[in-house]
Structures are given as structure tokens and as C-alpha cells.
Amino acid sequence: MSLSLRAAAFALTLAGPLAFPISPAAAQAQDYPSRPVKIVVPFGAGGPADVYSRVLAQHLSEALKQPFVVEDRPGAGSLIGTDAVAKSPPDGYTLLAMSNTHTTNESLIALKSSPAM
């Protein structure tokens, strides 16, 4: 790369953020969270995912000054909790603690529009 091309790339790197003003959406994102956030764990209470989620929730609560509440919704190979999160409003106040189970379920469970086999 030539020296002038490097200089131009460096100048764009410095000037780039100044060229794009902060949008109102970005300003609104700074207010998150403005109310309690729920973390759904689709596994049983006391398991590794539950313990990890509770530690994470404690740190997030302290850092963001809003409660992060862990709710265990086990059953059906983690589909019950996952379904509850999928059907919640897409506002970022219901989070899902995921695992490798979600990648495996898709290949094991056939989705059919007909009733049970």
C-alpha cells in the first residue's frame, strides 16, 4: 500500500465517526433498560445454565441499575422457555439463556403442519 493511500485510509478512520451524526434511535438506546428485564432459562433450577444466568443477572443489575430477574421455564427439551421468549414482545426486556440444545432441536424435531404422526 502506498504512503498516500495509507494516509487517506488513516484520515477516513479518524473522520469517519464525525461524518455520521448520532441518530435519535441511538440516543434512545442509552435509556435501556428503563424497567426490569427478565432472563428466561429453559432448564431446571439449580443447573449450570441457571447458576450462570443468576450470576450474570446480578452483574447486569449492578452495572445497569435495573433488576434482571431469572425465570426458569424447563421442559420439552428447552422448547417451553424458548417458545415463551419467542412469543414475548420484541422490546429487549425478555432475554433467553441459550445452549447447544437449540441447534440440535432443529435437526431432531420435524415441523409439520399435520397432526401427530
Side-chain angles (χ1 to χ4, degrees):
M1 188 185 291
S2 69
L3 184 58
S4 61
L5 190 55
R6 285 184 190 166
F10 181 72
L12 283 175
T13 303
L14 293 178
L18 300 176
F20 301 102
I22 297 175
S23 69
Q28 290 174 354
Q30 293 174 358
D31 294 337
Y32 177 85
S34 59
R35 59 187 168 95
V37 178
K38 179 172 40 172
I39 301 173
V40 176
V41 179
F43 305 103
D50 179 55
V51 172
Y52 175 78
S53 297
R54 290 183 189 281
V55 170
L56 180 65
Q58 179 182 355
H59 287 287
L60 288 171
S61 295
E62 292 168 1
L64 298 174
K65 308 294 186 233
Q66 281 293 333
F68 279 71
V69 181
V70 175
E71 179 182 322
D72 295 305
R73 304 276 309 257
S78 73
L79 291 176
I80 292 176
T82 304
D83 185 57
V85 173
K87 291 178 179 174
S88 68
D91 57 5
Y93 287 91
T94 305
L95 307 178
L96 176 67
M98 292 182 57
S99 76
N100 291 343
T101 306
H102 292 80
T103 59
T104 325
N105 280 343
E106 185 176 340
S107 63
L108 295 177
I109 299 172
L111 297 175
K112 296 184 179 183
S113 58
S114 61
M117 295 182 217

